[in-house]
Amino acid sequence: MRLSLRFVLPLMLVLAAIAYAVAPMVDRLTLTWFVRDLDSRASLVANTVQEPLQELLTAGRRVKILEFFNRITRDERLFAVGYCAAPTAKALATRSLPPEIQCAELARWEGPNNHLLPSNQGPLHVTVLPIAGEAASPGRLVLVQDMSFITRRSEETKRYVFYLFMGLAAVVSLITVVVAQLSWRGWVAGMRSLLRGEGLLRRPGSSAAPTLPGFKPIARDLQRLIRDLESDAHARDEAQIAWSPESLRAILRSELRGEDVLVVSNREPYIHQRRGDRIEVQRPASGVVTALEPIMRACSGTWIAHGSGSADREVVDRHDRVAVPPENPAYNIRRVWLTPEEEAGYYFGFANEGLWPLCHIAHVRPTFRSGDWAYYVAVNRKFARAVVDESKTKDPIVLVQDYHFALLPNMIHEELPNATVITFWHIPWPNPESFAICPWRDEVLEGMLGSSILGFHTQSHCNNFVDTVDRFLEARVDRAAFTVSLGGKLTAVRRYPISIAWPPNPEIVQTSVADCRSSMRQLNDLPPDHKVGVGVDRLDYTKGILERFSAIERLLELKPEWVGRFSFIQVAAPTRTGIEEYEHHEAQVRAMATRINARYTRRGPPPILLKIEHHDPREVYEYFRAADLCFVSSLHDGMNLVAKEFVAARDDERGVLILSQFTGAARELPEALIVNPYDADQCAAALHLALTMPAEQQRDRMRLMRGLVAEYNVFRWAGRMLLDAAAMRRRSRLIEKTARTDT
């Protein structure tokens, strides 16, 4: 016993000294973490308030801005909010904004070490962030956060560290005393058994001692706790993830291990076509396919799609399934067969003559026919039956893609009420007044609200959808959490901007930029130093091709020095040729290109080279790499991935992107030249600016855009939705477990 005391007392003194030495270091580390969290929180608040603030600034509603700021500062940690339109302007701010913060002196708060402001209420954290919108003049948002809670937690941390070391000393001391009293031989044998895991956790089939029944619940709870902590860590560290197919698969294996994952889309990821005596496998160029394939490969799920290939029926089994990819099968495609009448009514009719023009607001009247609606309902029901047939569990995760399946989420919910349905709407969502045109608006909204998560490209589309629901349905709308409750079913409405794969496939960028420029000019009979612009679109009236040609004609009128020195190559893939509006649009495009060329061809190469044909991704990227500029003039677009593909193709950091303000991409790529495609003079000026822009400025703009596309790539888009779904399922299961325990 005396030997034990000789050991215990010095041990307790040493641990006490260590506790006092470690406490200040932990204090500093804790402060660093909290400051970093405050910076991240400030960026999140700025991103959240940017759109409504821009609208209020554009409207010049000063009182509303102050009311908006006051609502924000109800958060107990947000001390004050202000906005400075210019250094000489007076700040629009809450009354709590410290007088030391003036618009003329904001620079002093923008340095990496200049965020702390002492005050009578305690230390404050000051963040100054730029705010620039389409209609508002550039300004800076000032966020002041209360740091008093850090002081309180710091004191708690010091106290807990001290208690920890004292507790550790007590435990070690107790163990030492017990060891001294025990039989040495029995103690050693017991420790060896414990270290081998015998009696606590035993692997099946091992020859170890039997598992102690009392420890089984503890072991299961510990394992479940570790998995939950790892999942939470993944969600918190999302910003630090380098998103790629590998990282997406790794996260899915940990987050959705053993989960039943299904994808539903109109287009299938692999198409089997008959070519004479052989069957050829085609993979359509699709951003959706690129994003969702890693999910299917990681989860070994099932992809449900319309079987449209000429040889699709020949390769499926008796359950209409085929394993893909052909070279290394990892998941199944379940093909759904449609009659010509069903395809005409559901796809060409209601989806593309009704919903497509209705949502794009591109001055084409939508056509709604009761017969098309009947086929749309029937086909959605057919896909719902396929989802039920392919579900291995009662609570699968189902990813529903696009406007072809507006009714499907609710149909799935009726059959599988515990399913987690993630619906992504790839096209814009219009304002309530426009959507009111649809004769079956209530049915479409109710169908979509069968989703657990409903995703759009931009926050404005989310706002429009929530406004539409609020206008036409008796549903409970929570605008703070952005959720809609209808019939007891809660739907989260979220922004998930889609993107492209990064880095691009090496095969499509293997030809050097210099070789692309040379070969493309030779192919089109253009001089080596000829300036070239490019546009790549489906031949769709929403893409603004006619407006693009008007801008080119206006450029040649205002700047005749470009006649014979600049040509624009328009790659236009035919689409939906069975619809009259698309046939008429193609005729208009051809006629306008012919007229402009007839006007200017006498002085050199034609100003417009129109190529109405399909091009594979490699050819498209060669055009991107060869061009001096890319013009995206969509009249209304959900995102427009062509803009991001052009940026991805320019690894030489050259070239200029001219981008319509009516695309979702315009909100993510502000370094592009943002234009109104309806304003021919503005677009012509942008074309001239792009053609004369110095190489250094091109490089600066392109470098910033490439960094953003690399970080916010398509794998991040898919991963964020799946992580949100996993978190939602964990919460739901916890609530169910708590309810069972209470009863």
Side-chain angles (χ1 to χ4, degrees):
M1 180 64 70
R2 287 196 300 270
L3 180 61
S4 300
L5 291 175
R6 289 175 187 174
F7 172 75
V8 168
L9 292 177
L11 176 64
M12 295 187 68
L13 292 175
V14 169
L15 289 176
I18 293 175
Y20 278 109
V22 169
M25 181 178 66
V26 173
D27 192 20
R28 290 193 298 271
L29 185 59
T30 304
L31 178 61
T32 302
W33 285 344
F34 278 124
V35 170
R36 187 181 304 163
D37 287 345
L38 289 175
D39 288 333
S40 300
R41 190 168 183 265
S43 298
L44 179 62
V45 172
N47 291 335
T48 303
V49 307
Q50 181 163 340
E51 287 192 14
L53 178 57
Q54 289 171 357
E55 294 175 1
L56 293 172
L57 289 170
T58 302
R61 306 176 71 177
R62 181 186 180 95
V63 174
K64 291 291 185 181
I65 292 173
L66 294 177
E67 292 177 356
F68 180 52
F69 285 170
N70 285 328
R71 287 199 304 272
I72 296 173
T73 53
R74 291 174 185 172
D75 187 322
E76 63 177 0
R77 295 188 191 171
L78 195 57
F79 186 78
V81 179
Y83 174 78
C84 289
T88 57
K90 183 178 179 181
L92 281 172
T94 58
R95 293 181 179 179
S96 54
L97 186 72
E100 296 92 332
I101 301 176
Q102 301 293 330
C103 290
E105 299 179 0
L106 287 185
R108 61 179 288 201
W109 305 106
E110 294 180 336
N113 300 313
N114 296 332
H115 294 288
L116 301 182
L117 173 66
S119 71
N120 295 332
Q121 294 87 352
L124 301 175
H125 180 274
V126 181
T127 306
V128 179
L129 297 167
I131 293 288
E134 298 163 358
S137 59
R140 286 183 285 182
L141 183 69
V142 181
L143 298 173
V144 182
Q145 300 182 70
D146 185 3
M147 295 181 64
S148 59
F149 75 97
I150 297 178
T151 303
R152 295 193 300 270
R153 293 190 181 181
S154 177
E155 293 300 325
E156 292 175 0
T157 301
K158 292 178 184 177
R159 188 163 58 253
Y160 291 153
V161 168
F162 179 75
Y163 290 160
L164 172 65
F165 278 93
M166 290 299 97
L168 181 61
V171 170
V172 173
S173 302
L174 179 62
I175 292 174
T176 304
V177 172
V178 171
V179 168
Q181 302 300 322
L182 292 177
S183 167
W184 180 258
R185 182 178 300 174
W187 181 83
V188 171
M191 283 299 295
R192 286 175 179 171
S193 175
L194 185 61
L195 290 173
R196 287 196 301 268
E198 298 172 1
L200 180 60
L201 295 173
R202 182 170 65 89
R203 295 181 180 178
S206 70
S207 58
T211 302
L212 295 178
F215 284 111
K216 282 185 176 180
I218 298 175
R220 285 197 299 268
D221 289 344
L222 284 173
Q223 291 168 347
R224 189 178 299 113
L225 177 61
I226 291 171
R227 286 197 299 269
D228 289 345
L229 289 173
E230 289 175 345
S231 299
D232 291 341
H234 282 311
R236 288 196 304 270
D237 296 339
E238 178 191 333
Q240 278 68 50
I241 297 173
W243 288 95
S244 66
E246 291 73 25
S247 64
L248 179 57
R249 280 192 286 267
I251 290 173
L252 293 177
R253 289 191 186 101
S254 62
E255 294 292 323
L256 301 176
R257 183 187 300 274
E259 298 284 12
D260 186 14
V261 179
L262 307 173
V263 168
V264 184
S265 68
N266 179 72
R267 178 179 296 182
E268 53 187 337
Y270 292 89
I271 303 173
H272 291 83
Q273 299 284 16
R274 169 66 63 181
R275 295 286 186 265
D277 295 333
R278 62 188 180 87
I279 295 177
E280 181 180 289
V281 180
Q282 296 179 350
R283 186 176 180 184
S286 168
V288 175
V289 171
T290 301
L292 298 180
E293 262 248 297
I295 297 175
M296 291 292 96
R297 291 175 185 250
C299 300
S300 299
T302 301
W303 192 311
I304 303 171
H306 170 213
S308 58
S310 57
D312 277 356
R313 289 181 183 269
E314 300 179 42
V315 298
V316 297
D317 61 16
R318 62 189 181 91
H319 299 291
D320 297 323
R321 302 189 191 106
V322 60
V324 291
E327 66 278 4
N328 185 23
Y331 65 95
N332 288 322
I333 296 178
R334 161 66 189 278
R335 284 172 171 154
V336 177
W337 314 113
L338 302 181
T339 66
E341 293 78 15
E342 286 176 327
E343 187 173 6
Y346 139 81
Y347 180 77
F348 292 104
F350 188 78
N352 287 307
E353 287 188 276
L355 289 179
W356 177 270
L358 174 68
C359 290
H360 278 87
I361 318 177
H363 313 299
V364 171
R365 178 180 297 175
T367 301
F368 293 104
R369 295 178 284 262
S370 59
D372 292 342
W373 169 252
Y375 279 121
Y376 189 83
V377 174
V379 171
N380 273 251
R381 184 69 66 186
K382 182 178 288 190
F383 274 85
R385 288 197 296 270
V387 169
V388 175
D389 292 342
E390 296 302 321
S391 299
K392 301 181 181 67
T393 63
K394 295 181 179 180
D395 60 343
I397 296 176
V398 187
L399 288 85
V400 177
Q401 303 300 308
D402 223 354
Y403 62 102
H404 310 96
F405 300 111
L407 306 180
L408 183 58
N410 196 44
M411 292 177 176
I412 295 173
H413 181 65
E414 291 173 352
E415 299 291 333
L416 299 168
N418 294 323
T420 301
V421 181
I422 308 172
T423 301
F424 190 80
W425 196 261
H426 289 264
I427 62 177
W429 188 270
N431 56 53
E433 290 75 14
S434 297
F435 193 76
I437 296 172
C438 180
W440 300 280
R441 68 191 183 202
D442 292 358
E443 291 87 341
V444 170
L445 293 172
E446 290 169 359
M448 296 174 68
L449 289 175
S451 309
S452 308
I453 299 175
L454 180 56
F456 296 93
H457 287 299
T458 70
Q459 189 60 45
S460 62
H461 297 158
C462 296
N463 297 343
N464 283 347
F465 179 80
V466 170
D467 290 343
T468 305
V469 171
D470 203 14
R471 179 77 61 87
F472 299 118
L473 296 183
E474 293 295 328
R476 184 167 59 84
V477 174
D478 185 341
R479 294 183 182 272
F482 253 81
T483 58
V484 177
S485 179
L486 180 66
K489 173 72 173 65
L490 192 67
T491 300
V493 182
R494 297 288 182 264
R495 169 182 174 267
Y496 300 109
I498 198 171
S499 190
I500 61 173
W502 187 275
N505 188 333
E507 294 181 1
I508 62 178
V509 292
Q510 62 183 358
T511 306
S512 69
V513 170
D515 289 343
C516 289
R517 291 178 63 87
S518 176
S519 62
M520 188 270 290
R521 283 162 175 76
Q522 290 178 6
L523 180 66
N524 293 281
D525 296 323
L526 301 174
D529 59 346
H530 200 70
K531 292 286 187 178
V532 173
V534 67
V536 178
D537 309 89
R538 288 183 302 104
L539 198 55
D540 192 293
Y541 51 77
T542 66
K543 302 303 179 182
I545 298 176
L546 295 175
E547 287 73 14
R548 194 177 305 166
F549 288 177
S550 294
I552 295 168
E553 184 176 27
R554 187 60 176 155
L555 169 71
L556 301 180
E557 291 172 353
L558 296 174
K559 300 291 183 180
E561 63 267 25
W562 290 115
V563 176
R565 296 178 52 217
F566 168 67
S567 295
F568 191 86
I569 300 176
Q570 177 62 56
V571 176
T575 183
R576 301 167 188 164
T577 53
I579 298 177
E580 181 180 353
E581 189 63 44
Y582 284 83
E583 295 176 354
H584 177 63
H585 180 65
E586 178 179 341
Q588 287 183 301
V589 169
R590 290 183 183 274
M592 190 170 188
T594 301
R595 179 182 63 78
I596 294 173
N597 285 340
R599 180 179 178 185
Y600 291 105
T601 303
R602 291 188 299 272
R603 295 173 56 184
I608 296 177
L609 299 172
L610 181 59
K611 299 179 180 295
I612 300 182
E613 57 194 32
H614 291 282
H615 290 70
D616 63 39
R618 181 185 57 80
E619 293 174 314
V620 169
Y621 267 70
E622 287 182 359
Y623 277 112
F624 285 150
R625 291 166 71 78
D628 297 287
L629 63 90
C630 177
F631 194 178
V632 176
S633 56
S634 301
L635 305 181
H636 199 190
D637 227 330
M639 177 55 68
N640 194 290
L641 295 180
V642 169
K644 296 186 176 183
E645 288 173 343
F646 174 72
V647 170
R650 299 315 296 255
D651 51 15
D652 63 334
E653 297 181 345
R654 295 288 297 274
V656 181
L657 174 63
I658 303 175
L659 185 56
S660 165
Q661 69 185 60
F662 303 119
T663 63
R667 298 181 180 275
E668 298 190 30
L669 302 173
E671 293 78 20
L673 301 181
I674 308 299
V675 297
N676 178 354
Y678 295 98
D679 188 340
D681 284 353
Q682 184 192 45
C683 292
L687 285 166
H688 178 70
L689 177 60
L691 292 169
T692 58
M693 184 177 292
E696 295 78 9
Q697 188 177 150
Q698 293 183 35
R699 185 176 300 110
D700 291 342
R701 289 172 178 265
M702 188 59 69
R703 187 171 295 169
L704 289 169
M705 290 190 289
R706 285 176 61 81
L708 185 139
V709 174
E711 182 177 358
Y712 294 89
N713 58 42
V714 73
F715 308 112
R716 183 189 183 102
W717 170 79
R720 282 186 57 215
M721 287 192 292
L722 268 297
L723 286 173
D724 287 350
M728 181 178 289
R729 290 165 75 84
R730 285 197 302 272
R731 286 194 296 270
S732 176
R733 289 167 179 171
L734 179 61
I735 292 171
E736 291 176 3
K737 183 178 179 180
T738 304
R740 288 196 300 268
T741 303
D742 292 341
T743 56

